[in-house]
Amino acid sequence: MPAEADPGPAGLWRLSTGKVTVRVRYCGGQKLCASIAALARPYGKDGKPKRDHDNPNPSLRNRPVVGLQVASGMSPAGPNRWVGKIYNADDGGTYRSEIHITGDVMILQGCWGPFCKKNRFTRVR
């Protein structure tokens, strides 16, 4: 049986906690973009779809979180590695970030100054 081709970074990826699923795609050559495809809890306490209420720009605070582009123009920085900025709808911050992909595992690291946090995603499809 022939080996399957490496699917690359494009596709659906679910956070290890199951809280969020993101859609990663190419957006201009080898650059990557990502948007929120689904949330485990898409509705707020008021029963309405979650909104980007912590966005620093007041005019953007009413946009839905599902569908929100959280990464754009992540540039290649080596084999299976991209760097750029990522937006965190949980706190309205934009952070320096890196994506590393090994098989069906994607590690996304976001940094604020010297402090970094890594999140592990698994390919859904």
Side-chain angles (χ1 to χ4, degrees):
M1 182 186 297
E4 291 186 34
D6 179 2
L12 286 175
W13 299 84
R14 183 169 296 127
L15 184 62
S16 60
T17 63
K19 178 181 172 181
V20 64
T21 301
V22 296
R23 180 178 314 281
V24 175
R25 62 182 174 77
Y26 286 103
C27 56
Q30 293 298 307
K31 292 186 176 188
L32 294 182
C33 290
S35 57
I36 296 175
L39 296 171
R41 295 187 177 152
Y43 300 99
K45 293 177 183 176
D46 60 2
K48 295 179 182 176
K50 288 186 178 175
R51 301 287 177 185
D52 189 17
H53 58 80
D54 287 322
N55 195 297
N57 181 341
S59 69
L60 298 177
R61 291 182 184 156
N62 199 37
R63 63 186 179 166
V65 172
V66 172
L68 186 66
Q69 185 164 306
V70 292
S72 60
M74 299 280 294
S75 299
N80 299 314
R81 182 171 171 254
W82 291 262
V83 297
K85 302 270 185 191
I86 193 156
Y87 174 72
N88 182 352
D90 286 342
D91 64 13
T94 299
Y95 302 95
R96 197 168 31 94
S97 65
E98 291 187 18
I99 293 175
H100 299 268
I101 295 177
T102 305
D104 287 337
V105 174
M106 174 174 71
I107 303 297
L108 186 148
Q109 176 176 284
C111 299
W112 180 70
F115 305 102
C116 296
K117 179 179 179 181
K118 289 183 180 180
N119 286 300
R120 185 178 199 270
F121 289 78
T122 303
R123 186 184 302 273
V124 176
R125 61 181 165 150

